[in-house]
Amino acid sequence: MADPKGAAVVIVGGGVTGLSAGWWLARSGVDVLVLDKGIVGWEASGRNGGGATHVYSPFGLEEQRLWPQMDDLLGYPTEHQPYRIGIALSENQLALARRSAEIAETRGFRWELLDRQQVKELVPIAGDNAIGGTFLHFGGHANPQRTVQAYAWALQDHGGRILQHTTVTGLTIRSGRVTAVETSRGSFDAETLIVAAGPQTGLFADMLGVSLPLAPARVEMIATEPLPLMRHGGVAGNGLYGRQTLRGNLVYGGGPHEWINVPDMATPEHPNTPLVRNLARRLAELLPGAAHMRVIRSWGGVAENTPDGLPVVDRLASPDNVIIATMSSVGFGLSPAVGKAISEMVVHGRCLFADLSAISLGRFADTPPDWRERAGWIAGASSIAEAAAGGSR
Amino acid sequence: MTVDLRSIADKAPRPERHVPVVVVGAGVAGVAAAVAAARGGAQVLLVDEHPVDNDMMAMDVPLYFGQRMQESVRNRALMMERVVEANPGLAEAHEAGVDVQLGTYVWGAFVNGPSVRELPGPMLGLADDRRSWLVGYDRLIVAAGARDVALGFPGWERAGAMGASGAHALLTRYRALASKRILILGSGQLALATAALALQHGIEVAGLVEVGDALRAEIGSVPALHGVPIYLSHTVKEARGKVGEVESVALVQVDAALEPVAGTEREIACDTICWAVGLVPNVELLHLVGARLAFSSPRGGWVPQLSDVMQTSVTGVFAVGDCAGVRDGVGGDPDVAHEQGRVAGVAAAESLGANLSPLPSRVRAAADGPAMHAYWQQWLQSLLHVGGWEVNVCQCEEVTRRELVEVKPPRYLKWDSPQMSARSLDTMLRDGPVNQDQIKRLTRAGMGPCQSRRCREQVGLLLAQASGTTMDRIPLPSFRPPLRPLPLNVLWPADEPPAMREHWVGWFGIPTQFSPHWEAGMAIAEPTAQTPLIPSDE
């Protein structure tokens, strides 16, 4: 039994990745402590599209296997619903939807091409502007807010601990191992450290002497008043991701992101911008039968990306008792599988169900320090002309 | 230098127009501010949402109208005439050269900050019944008024349960209150003013109900109220009537512990039951621009911190009138509101370079009235004792008081598990102080189309009570745009920057992000309007 002021595994970050990892560890009997600077799931983990259809990922098969069981495994509702419908308003959009489905098909998943009539039968509020679509007999969606809380509660039910409103201020490293986590509420001993701190994960990498290229960005979503429930809520397309919730609200996001900086452990603001109008336009194009429905809410979130947009889930070479996890802005849906992978890395030394070599930290060994500038992923470049003139505020 | 074409770069929103001074709200304070700023030489836009359309009113937005609108509110032209007629200040503003836009909602305020740097300047989102647009500003004067505190009782979902501000607006601005006999809850100045106004408009006042054992304001000063029945130490048991309507209200006497006294129930015939126990300042816009708010119970709750010229913590943003704080649960003295508006208007014009003579006076600070939240808690306590825990706290989402404090998932999930049953507000308090937004996400209380206007305060009061804390210790629940529930086809922009349409992608547009991991090098770049899908393996 570890010191009550510490734990066998200390997890920094009470987002969906850290909570899932903590839950899997706790249910296999590991003493686990999750630290979060605010409230669990308060950042992008609890404010996203809720999609759970990522079969292209190394975690994809396990994601698909686990989601239908999650309510039972957790003991709390996630609102998971199966299937996805993609609606295309143009040949380009149809090509993208088909391509994603074909990729899934190579993994053994079933899908169907829909014509306009079939789209309208499945989605009565779709319009004549739909040229077709796809029906995926896999994938799905869930409620992010409910799911993060479910992970947190289930983790506690298995004896794990969560400390909210606890900001990590430093790490104690002795003889090539992290031995303690320093926080605004004291020091916590750790045998193993998991860093799953979203946009701030890069700051921890810095503390640990490794380079993890991450660029945070702000993204936005809108929500309408409730509509009668459609047969399948997982409807998206026209450059939007999202779903109809089980309450009936249409919640959708998409469109341009704004690259930002996360200077320290500060909680990023989540403002919306007039982009909510552009989102409204695309949603009304996607589902013309709902064009008269009222937008009652919008929100923003901050998600981080690696240069190739793929996750990093890896154990550091040194300090060697540290696992770093960033899902590169696509973490919610994959969380059941990623958490399981991390718990296996702790317990068994490696992920048993998938080969994670494609998402190792080592792939960024040669990433130049100015990679964000090179990619144009910089904060405050409000105009191309300004950027061309070399000005970045 | 590389630019990420999928990012917001070059897609910044462009305001349709730019106005140096925008005043939101054409009440006494807003008009005074607009006139003062215009006389100071500034170009001024004064917007007010009244007359709001019937559909909005039916949702109890922006005020608690309680379905007691006459059919005439559907006649927009007539309502426009009446709103103009009821507000002589509008003519004064017009004469002063102010651009006055009525029937115009302000649904958002957008400013740059740590995570938004794309905006060319601060701007407001405006809308009418048909479209939305953006207006840039240099100075913003918020005179957004206040709204009613309402608490639930069995039957409060019925048409005829409303708030005093809603009643005042329907009586004075719209002349369209469909009430014949009104029962008023409260006995402070707001309640007395509401009763007097109702009588003046030929509406019978069935009585004033006060949960406390004494009136909260001097009734002798209002001769019209002589003879109006007064029920001290009483609370509401239920509103009754045929389907969906208030036709009578059952009252019951309460003792010193606010428990019902057996055998004291009485039924009062009335078609309207009106909450008049206090107002809360409308601070939504101030919150969106990042103005610092502080909790002051005597002033109605969260109010902006203001300088002596009514400037908020955000330079160039002012707050005047009731949204700057109310007193004793009622809107300010019109003289004070006028003076606040004038001072802010002059300050706004001065800060834009007008050369005005020094201000002759500063706003006189009225002494704070009594704390309001303890009074509202008294009401809530009595309603709990009499009505129990199975009363909706949130009408839109049908969340009961019990479901709120037990942090139950919504009923439509039909979820039941031993784990869930073991969770409650009490268990959540072990993990951290109560947070209304968090409880909202889990229970859905406050997530409906009225945008929590009817339940925000009572959810907070109930959470405070159930967690043994006070309202000032619960963080301000967030406000999100659009601040009015606007249809998709009103909120949408008629035109967009070409780059917006050209480069729009669903997610970041990183070609490798959704590519299959088992085929190295295979990438799918999400197509845009002009770019077809080109998988890299073809």
Side-chain angles (χ1 to χ4, degrees), chain B residues 503-525:
Chain B
H503 299 301
W504 183 286
V505 289
W507 201 231
F508 283 79
I510 304 168
T512 42
Q513 184 146 51
F514 301 110
S515 62
H517 68 99
W518 57 90
E519 283 181 49
M522 181 168 160
I524 349 160

Side-chain angles (χ1 to χ4, degrees), chain A residues 39-53:
Chain A
I39 293 173
V40 290
W42 211 241
E43 303 298 334
S45 295
R47 43 183 94 227
N48 60 67
T53 315

Side-chain angles (χ1 to χ4, degrees), chain A residues 275-298:
Chain A
L275 184 67
V276 296
R277 301 173 73 221
N278 309 95
L279 286 167
R281 178 158 165 168
R282 269 151 195 81
L283 183 50
E285 289 168 359
L286 176 68
L287 302 170
H292 62 291
M293 297 307 289
R294 293 171 187 268
V295 180
I296 59 173
R297 199 163 38 248
S298 65

Side-chain angles (χ1 to χ4, degrees), chain A residues 171 199-208 212 214 262-266:
Chain A
L171 303 172
Q200 273 107 349
T201 305
L203 302 173
F204 286 94
D206 290 346
M207 285 184 203
L208 293 160
L212 172 62
L214 280 184
V262 178
D264 48 33
M265 298 299 173

Side-chain angles (χ1 to χ4, degrees), chain B residues 399-475:
Chain B
V399 179
T400 65
R401 294 167 179 156
R402 178 182 307 285
E403 288 165 335
L404 181 79
V405 300
E406 292 184 354
V407 196
K408 285 277 174 276
R411 260 170 271 157
Y412 58 80
L413 293 183
K414 300 184 176 66
W415 180 266
D416 194 20
S417 67
Q419 294 97 320
M420 192 72 242
S421 303
R423 294 286 169 180
S424 67
L425 187 60
D426 288 341
T427 68
M428 294 201 74
L429 290 172
R430 290 179 211 148
D431 293 326
V434 60
N435 182 294
Q436 192 165 333
D437 280 333
Q438 186 184 23
I439 304 295
K440 176 176 91 174
R441 291 165 164 213
L442 296 172
T443 62
R444 295 194 62 84
M447 291 187 90
C450 90
Q451 300 179 313
S452 82
R453 282 178 177 80
R454 290 181 298 211
C455 72
R456 177 177 273 265
E457 282 68 37
Q458 58 174 328
V459 165
L461 289 164
L462 205 50
L463 290 177
Q465 197 197 65
S467 58
T469 187
T470 48
M471 287 282 280
D472 57 310
R473 300 179 72 89
I474 300 180

Side-chain angles (χ1 to χ4, degrees), chain A residues 75 247 258 270 295 298 308, chain B residues 2 117 397 417 480-481 486 512:
Chain A
R247 173 69 174 101
E258 178 164 1
H270 311 118
V295 180
S298 65
D308 58 12
Chain B
T2 318
R117 301 197 199 180
E397 299 293 314
S417 67
R480 308 299 306 188
L486 296 175
T512 42

Side-chain angles (χ1 to χ4, degrees), chain A residues 56 95-96 98-107 308 310, chain B residues 510-525 533-538:
Chain A
Y56 58 84
L96 178 70
R98 285 187 70 144
R99 186 71 184 158
S100 303
E102 285 162 2
I103 290 170
E105 193 173 355
T106 69
R107 301 247 88 186
D308 58 12
L310 298 177
Chain B
I510 304 168
T512 42
Q513 184 146 51
F514 301 110
S515 62
H517 68 99
W518 57 90
E519 283 181 49
M522 181 168 160
I524 349 160
L533 177 83
I534 309 171
S536 63
D537 61 342
E538 285 176 11

